[in-house]
Amino acid sequence: MAELRFVRLGFGPDSVEYTEAWDEQRRVHAARFADEIGDTCLLLEHPPVYTAGRRTADSERPLDGTPVIDVDRGGKITWHGPGQLVGYPIMKLPRPVDVVAHVRRLEDALIRTAAEFGLETTRIEGRSGVWVLGDPVEQRPAVGGLTLEFDPRLTDEEFDPRLNGPEYAPSNAGQRREDRKLAAIGIRVAKGVTMHGFSFNVNPDSTWFDRIIPCGIRDAGVTSLSEELGREITIADVLPVVERHLADVMAGATLLPREVEREMEPEAAAPAAS
């Protein structure tokens, strides 16, 4: 695959509004489909914003009426904001198109990035993204004074962790020694070209996630690189490392020509016997 080009759109005081970045994604997507440009990854920070993928349920949105932008990616609701590195790789996928393989490549790059800073992360079957594993279930402290068998998040369909304080807050999953997500991934593929991408928590205020059910997952939480390592790490520290690992991982994907099915032309009629 051709070299992946990186465009740093804006960080810190120059962070990019979500709708502005979405417009830029669509522009770059059209140019990539037309082969006017090569594979391009937009990198940026957003001001605080909630975005909801197509599968988001009403019960996962903020209770206080905080605005949510509905978008055309996969996945559910999440938060973007300061301290979170967002990447939108806009790329022609290798053919035959394998969306899962693309997600796995993004996960690989972010797992390698975390490892370079000294944090071991992994995948969890059935849950996209990059995760820090918690303790085995039987070794975790009881939630809310209850044994795990009676954890209402798992046994009560009407229980809402958004209403039940810090004991159930996603940002406190590390204290509960539960699985917690370091990086989220949600993509869309249109005409064989990707949109949307990943968000990597470097040093955000994780309590923003407590207003929602992040990614629709009730029995796990969120974390950041700084929180897990116990030291301050910045977007500027992480940015070149992510770029390097994304470039390495994506270079291993082979782009094949698009296969166009054509109808078979009818065979010429055989000459009549004389």
Side-chain angles (χ1 to χ4, degrees), residues 23-24 27 51 88 90-91 97 99 113 129-130 135 140 167 172 188 195 198 207 210 213 221 232-233 237 241 247 252:
D23 287 342
E24 180 65 5
R27 186 192 68 79
T51 70
Y88 297 130
I90 300 173
M91 309 173 62
V97 169
V99 178
T113 297
V130 175
D135 291 347
R140 297 176 191 172
E167 290 167 325
N172 287 332
R188 179 188 177 216
M195 292 182 71
F198 66 86
T207 61
D210 296 344
I213 308 296
E232 185 67 11
I233 298 172
D237 297 328
V241 182

Side-chain angles (χ1 to χ4, degrees), residues 90-140:
I90 300 173
M91 309 173 62
K92 278 198 174 179
L93 288 186
R95 293 187 180 274
V97 169
D98 187 338
V99 178
V100 173
H102 177 66
V103 171
R104 294 292 174 263
R105 286 190 288 270
L106 293 178
E107 290 170 344
D108 281 344
L110 300 179
I111 287 170
R112 295 181 189 185
T113 297
E116 189 158 326
F117 285 90
L119 178 62
E120 181 180 357
T121 58
T122 188
R123 299 183 178 92
I124 293 181
E125 185 66 29
R127 294 179 170 179
S128 67
V130 175
W131 292 81
V132 177
L133 289 183
D135 291 347
V137 171
E138 63 275 9
Q139 296 179 19
R140 297 176 191 172

